[in-house]
């Protein structure tokens, strides 16, 4: 089973399009009716759907750290800084991650891009 993603609303649309062209199962916050949802709601929703959240929002790192420290389960967070990873790097690394990892490997973890 491949990793499925929930895209935070801060993510460049080119990343979503690039992943879809490669056959990766991607759902955006907007498509899920959560265009204005806060970080905690998105992380909870990703967990409910069994989708790791991809974000470029630094605040997600603090939230994931808090959930880890308090033992709260989440499906995973994949993070790339907006200025340190290009759209192409994000697409390539997310494609590799989604194809090579299984969802359980990302559970309760934060993965940083670029790889």
């Amino acid at each position: 089973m491949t990793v499925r993603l929930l895209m935070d609303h801060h993510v460049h649309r080119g990343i979503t399009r690039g992943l879809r062209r490669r056959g990766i199962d991607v759902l955006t916050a907007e498509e899920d009716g959560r265009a204005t949802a806060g970080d905690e709601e998105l992380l909870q929703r990703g967990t409910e759907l069994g989708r790791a959240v991809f974000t470029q929002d630094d605040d997600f790192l603090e939230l994931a750290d808090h959930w880890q420290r308090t033992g709260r389960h989440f499906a995973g967070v994949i993070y790339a800084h907006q200025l340190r990873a290009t759209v192409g790097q994000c697409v390539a690394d997310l494609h590799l991650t989604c194809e090579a990892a299984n969802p359980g490997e990302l559970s309760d973890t934060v993965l940083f891009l670029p790889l």
Side-chain angles (χ1 to χ4, degrees), residues 3-30:
V3 173
R4 299 177 311 142
L5 299 173
L6 175 61
M7 308 301 265
D8 185 14
H9 25 68
H10 298 284
V11 173
H12 190 285
R13 292 187 190 280
I15 297 171
T16 300
R17 285 192 303 266
L19 290 169
R20 286 182 172 157
R21 280 193 296 268
R22 288 162 178 78
I24 301 301
D25 186 344
V26 177
L27 176 67
T28 67
E30 291 84 5

Side-chain angles (χ1 to χ4, degrees), residues 35-112:
T36 60
D39 296 344
E40 187 152 351
E41 183 181 343
L42 283 179
L43 190 53
Q44 180 61 43
R45 181 63 174 160
T47 301
E48 290 167 3
L49 297 173
R51 293 176 178 271
V53 175
F54 176 65
T55 187
Q56 294 182 292
D57 179 2
D58 293 344
D59 293 338
F60 248 95
L61 299 177
E62 291 180 36
L63 177 62
D65 179 63
H66 175 71
W67 282 30
Q68 286 173 324
R69 285 185 286 107
T70 59
R72 189 166 174 187
H73 169 69
F74 59 100
V77 171
I78 305 173
Y79 170 83
H81 189 278
Q82 289 181 355
L83 302 177
R84 295 188 190 122
T86 66
V87 169
Q89 284 175 314
C90 287
V91 171
D93 287 355
L94 286 166
H95 179 240
L96 177 64
T97 299
C98 289
E99 291 293 317
N102 69 56
E105 292 173 317
L106 292 179
S107 182
D108 302 320
T109 65
V110 177
L111 177 68
F112 291 86

